Amino acid sequence: MKIIVINGPNLNMLGKREPGIYGNETLDDLRKYVKDEFKDDVDIEFFQSNHEGYIIDKLHEANEEFDGVVINPGAFTHYSYAIHDAIKSISTKVVEVHISNIHQREEFRQKSVTASACIGQISGFGFESYILGIKSLLKQI
């Protein structure tokens, strides 16, 4: 089984950006946490970009190369109809995840335009959101 975890804008700043919301751990810590959880069971690749087009390109590639996608679109969650359309255009199943509970945050963060293109959304459990997203995805594949 081959899964790609796609992280959007500013997730490269984990550990530095708003630690009260996102914690002190880094994107590298997230990679290690996820890979350690699944060890030899699942081949997991990570991708992060601050650029919408690169995320869209990676989603298109995922359709050919991966069995599933876990995506944290970052701020693109709230306004990227292009990422929504890219998710809808592929047959690979996608789960949206968020470290923080977006429904308890600022009003503009409470709406996801990308979630309706996914098979589900998990938010508010820190790095565990990724683990839950992958486990949910594996049950759907």
Side-chain angles (χ1 to χ4, degrees):
M1 197 63 62
K2 195 169 177 185
I3 304 292
I4 185 164
V5 176
I6 299 175
N7 284 293
N10 298 311
L11 285 154
N12 58 308
M13 298 301 290
L14 284 175
K16 297 176 187 171
R17 176 185 176 215
E18 299 181 88
I21 295 172
Y22 300 105
N24 295 310
E25 295 177 298
T26 66
L27 188 59
D28 284 336
D29 294 330
L30 173 62
R31 283 186 195 106
K32 183 178 178 344
Y33 180 75
V34 171
K35 286 191 177 243
D36 285 352
E37 177 71 24
F38 293 98
K39 293 189 174 115
D40 300 323
D41 299 334
V42 183
D43 182 12
I44 300 175
E45 183 176 310
F46 283 82
F47 176 79
Q48 188 278 326
S49 181
N50 295 316
H51 305 280
E52 185 177 36
Y54 293 152
I55 293 169
I56 292 166
D57 290 343
K58 189 54 77 172
L59 284 163
H60 293 170
E61 291 172 22
N63 197 45
E64 303 294 325
E65 299 176 19
F66 294 91
D67 299 303
V69 176
V70 170
I71 187 169
N72 182 341
F76 291 136
T77 300
H78 316 294
Y79 66 88
S80 181
Y81 296 102
I83 290 176
H84 171 277
D85 291 348
I87 294 168
K88 293 290 281 186
S89 75
I90 64 174
S91 59
T92 304
K93 294 183 185 311
V94 180
V95 172
E96 180 176 302
V97 300
H98 298 282
I99 294 169
S100 68
N101 184 343
I102 65 171
H103 305 287
Q104 292 181 337
R105 301 211 34 215
E106 303 93 331
E107 186 176 340
F108 77 92
R109 292 188 198 275
Q110 295 176 14
K111 170 80 170 140
S112 171
V113 301
T114 51
S116 64
C118 299
I119 62 170
Q121 180 196 69
I122 298 169
S123 71
F125 296 100
F127 284 3
E128 191 66 18
S129 292
Y130 290 82
I131 302 301
L132 296 169
I134 293 168
K135 286 182 177 181
S136 299
L137 187 60
L138 292 172
K139 288 183 180 183
Q140 295 292 316
I141 297 174

